Structures are given as structure tokens and as C-alpha cells.
Amino acid sequence: MKKNNLYSILALGVFFLVLSCGDKEGQGAAAVQAPPPSIPVSQLETKTVTGYQEYPTTIEGIVNSDVRAKTSGYVKSVLVDEGEKVRKGQVLFRLETQSLSQDAGAAKARINVAQVEVDKLIPLVEKNIISAVQLETAKANLAQAKANYSGVSANIGYATIKSPVNGYVGQINFREGALISPSDPTPLTTVSDISKVYAFFSLNETQYLDFLQNAEGKNVKEKIANFAPVNLILANGSTYEEKGKIETSSGQINQSTGTVSFRAVFDNPNQLVTNGNSGKIQIPLVYENAIVVPQDATYEQQGNVMVFKLGEENKVTTSIVKVKATVDNLYVIESGVTAKEKIIVSGVGKLRPGMVISPQDKPFEEAIKPIATLFRN
């Protein structure tokens, strides 16, 4: 009887133990079956956005005229300073002319001697005392003396060096006492007209073909004329207030560099930019009715840009997208998604393919807004 009671107690203990294990397994299953996470999604839309391509540029005034000496001599005086505005014909330098003046005096004396000789021979020829050939020779000597004097006088005039154009004086390379000559490789200075400035930049072959295909017009001239205004980004990163216009293109690929050169012109009323400035030309590119996605909605995998799309039964699927361009915080998409699909717009790092989510619709305009920077260095 006692054994039966013992067996009953043991059987009852086993029953409660099994029951307890079953409860724990049930609780674990309940924990696994948590509700799907709430993830924001947006219906894709087409947008017209403007992006920019940037190219290094160098700046020059529309006129850059080297000032050079036409005669040799020592610089006697420099009458302008660097950066000074000058007008065409204004005297910039004077050379020492003492030796030239002495040469002019000697040349004048030779003219007088030759003139006396001509005057002496004229009556003798008229009286047939001497041959007319002697008189013609004397006249030739007189003409030669006058030509020599004119040359010396011109050199004296060249000793006063004037500005060839209206503009601003650049670096002055020679000061008082310097000996200069017409053969010097370095000019005295350069006078530049910077009321407008040229910005020179280059496109490689691929960029040039894209330019031709996207610009309106039947030929290169028309395409350049119809092209939108361009921006100039200065060396300090600021955008120049004046818009520029592409004026010309070489239209030929440089075999050494593989590029095609372009020239844009900018008004420069405040002379903010000048010769030698550097910067970047910013060319606008308009993408009409393009599919765009926020960069925060993408991730990279093995060099591919990926997005999560919302599939059937709220399961997420991955898709590789081909990016045509980057505009601010957006990718302009060439392929991989359509405007009829919904994508996950944030929290993509928490997702896995096939995962079930609880989609929370977010307006597309809100989804593509850039996130404000709270802290800056």
C-alpha cells in the first residue's frame, strides 16, 4: 500500500514537471512572435531637380596687355603703382634720355652739314659746272641724315612708355635704375581690363559628349548660345554674385590632355575677381520628371547602391538601383525602382530581406527633405 502511494507521488511530480516545461516553451514562443517593427515608407514620385557639375577654372581679364619697352635704357621713373587704374595713353614709365638727346644733337648736326652741301651744289649744277649726279648724291646724304634723326627722335619718344589700354596695373617687374631693352622676356608690367573676366575650363571627352547631347541646338554654336547661365565658385568657397555665360569652345579634343576647352565670361563691376584668380565653374544640369530617392534610404553592398522596397504581405525586398546623378541629399535614379513602388526611407540598417514590417506611410516631400545640421565644427 505504501509503495502504491509512493508511485502515485512520483507520477504526480513528473506530471507537474512536464507541465512547467511546457509553460516555459510557450512563453518563449510568445516572445519570438513579437509584433513586426514600425518602419516609415514612402510612395516614390517623379521630381524635376537641378544638379551641378563643377570644373576647375582660371580667371583672366578680357584684355591683358603686356607693357614693353621699344628702346633700351635705364628706368628713370615709375609713375604708377600696382593695382592702380589707368587710362589708355597714360604715361607709366620714363626712361633716361640723356644719351639719346646727345645722339639727337649729333644727328641734327649731320642734317645741317648735308643741307649746306646740297645748297652749295645747286647753283653749280644750274651753271653746268658740275654733274647733276653729285647733287643727287648730296640730296641722298641729306635724306639719310634726316632719317637717322627721325630714328633717334622716335627712340626719345619711346622713352616715355604709355598704357596701351584702359585697365588696372599688374605687378611692376622693373623699378628705377633697372636697365631694360625690347628683347627682355619679362614685360615692365601688364595692364588688364577686368570690367569683365574670362573663366577658362575644360571638359573631358565623355563630359563634352554629354554636353552636346543635353544642350539644345542644331550645332555647337547654337548649343553654347542656348546653354543656361553658369556659376563661379570662388577660392574661398563662396558663390560669385554675377552669373556667367559660356561664350566659346575650342570644339576639338586636345590630344595631349584629352579635353575640350571652354570659355565663360562674367561681369565684374566691383573688380572682385582679377587675373590669376582660381575657382570652379558650376554648370547646371536639369533632370526633368526624374525618380529620386533620399540617400538615407539607401545602403551599399559590394559596390552597389541598394534600397529596400515594400513587397507583398509587408515583406521587404532588396533592389539594386543605378544612380544617374547626386543632387544635394538625393540620388537621381536611372533604373532599379519605379514611381509605382514604395521604399523604406529610414532605418534600413535594421532590415533584412524577407523581413515583415509594419509600414508607416510618410509623405514623399517630407521624406526627401535634408536633415538639418545641428552641430558644426
Side-chain angles (χ1 to χ4, degrees):
M1 184 68 180
K2 290 181 180 179
K3 288 184 178 181
N4 291 336
N5 290 338
L6 180 60
Y7 291 149
S8 297
I9 292 171
L10 290 175
L12 185 61
V14 172
F15 171 77
F16 283 117
L17 180 62
V18 173
L19 182 63
S20 175
C21 291
D23 288 342
K24 290 182 179 180
E25 291 178 0
Q27 290 175 0
V32 172
Q33 295 175 356
S38 297
I39 302 292
V41 301
S42 285
Q43 176 76 52
L44 290 177
E45 298 177 9
T46 57
K47 304 286 291 183
T48 297
V49 294
T50 301
Y52 294 91
Q53 289 184 333
E54 295 183 348
Y55 305 93
T57 183
T58 55
I59 306 297
E60 291 184 11
I62 56 172
V63 175
N64 294 295
S65 182
D66 287 343
V67 178
R68 297 182 180 274
K70 292 183 179 181
T71 187
S72 299
Y74 290 94
V75 177
K76 181 180 180 181
S77 56
V78 179
L79 304 177
V80 292
D81 202 357
E82 294 173 348
E84 184 175 337
K85 185 177 182 180
V86 296
R87 65 186 183 279
K88 182 178 180 179
Q90 181 175 335
V91 178
L92 307 180
F93 302 88
R94 291 189 191 278
L95 304 184
E96 183 274 320
T97 60
Q98 182 177 356
S99 60
L100 290 174
S101 297
Q102 293 172 352
D103 293 342
K108 184 67 173 177
R110 285 191 288 273
I111 290 176
N112 293 335
V113 170
Q115 185 65 57
V116 168
E117 182 68 14
V118 169
D119 293 342
K120 182 181 71 174
L121 295 179
I122 288 176
L124 297 179
V125 171
E126 291 176 346
K127 295 177 181 180
N128 293 323
I129 296 175
I130 62 172
S131 169
V133 174
Q134 290 180 271
L135 176 59
E136 294 302 318
T137 301
K139 287 182 177 180
N141 291 336
L142 176 60
Q144 181 64 48
K146 288 181 177 180
N148 291 338
Y149 177 74
S150 297
V152 175
S153 297
N155 284 335
I156 293 175
Y158 294 152
T160 300
I161 301 173
K162 302 177 180 180
S163 176
V165 295
N166 297 326
Y168 290 82
V169 178
Q171 180 177 343
I172 295 176
N173 300 309
F174 296 91
R175 296 288 179 175
E176 287 84 351
L179 177 62
I180 61 173
S181 73
S183 61
D184 288 335
T186 304
L188 287 163
T189 188
T190 300
V191 178
S192 302
D193 181 358
I194 56 172
S195 59
K196 294 184 178 182
V197 292
Y198 289 139
F200 297 91
F201 63 99
S202 298
L203 274 62
N204 62 36
E205 185 174 357
T206 300
Q207 294 164 340
Y208 180 61
L209 291 174
D210 289 341
F211 169 83
L212 294 179
Q213 291 172 349
N214 294 328
E216 296 181 0
K218 298 178 181 178
N219 50 49
V220 174
K221 184 176 181 180
E222 288 185 6
K223 290 177 181 292
I224 290 176
N226 294 331
F227 205 74
V230 298
N231 296 326
L232 173 62
I233 308 300
L234 302 176
N236 63 359
S238 63
T239 301
Y240 185 49
E241 59 185 8
E242 300 288 337
K243 293 284 188 179
K245 182 67 177 174
I246 297 178
E247 279 193 334
T248 62
S249 165
S250 65
Q252 296 181 349
I253 297 175
N254 185 310
Q255 295 299 317
S256 300
T257 63
T259 60
V260 179
S261 60
F262 281 78
R263 186 186 76 198
V265 63
F266 292 81
D267 287 330
N268 191 30
N270 299 320
Q271 288 78 52
L272 181 62
V273 290
T274 187
N275 282 330
N277 279 147
S278 61
K280 295 179 181 178
I281 286 292
Q282 202 178 58
I283 297 180
L285 292 175
V286 178
Y287 301 95
E288 296 185 353
N289 299 320
I291 296 176
V292 297
V293 300
Q295 293 185 39
D296 288 341
T298 68
Y299 66 100
E300 289 193 13
Q301 188 176 72
Q302 297 180 349
N304 296 315
V305 178
M306 314 283 291
V307 296
F308 280 108
K309 298 191 292 187
L310 184 63
E312 296 180 358
E313 299 179 351
N314 292 335
K315 289 183 179 180
V316 296
T317 61
T318 58
S319 177
I320 298 174
V321 294
K322 185 175 182 181
V323 177
K324 181 186 297 184
T326 302
V327 179
D328 298 326
N329 66 314
L330 304 175
Y331 283 140
V332 179
I333 303 301
E334 185 173 328
S335 63
V337 290
T338 68
K340 297 179 180 180
E341 295 176 306
K342 287 185 177 182
I343 66 168
I344 285 73
V345 292
S346 64
V348 294
K350 304 175 182 178
L351 302 179
R352 297 292 181 269
M355 184 175 175
V356 176
I357 66 169
S358 175
Q360 304 298 313
D361 287 325
K362 186 174 184 178
F364 187 67
E365 291 295 335
E366 183 178 342
I368 64 176
K369 284 183 179 179
I371 299 175
T373 302
L374 299 179
F375 300 99
R376 293 184 180 179
N377 295 330

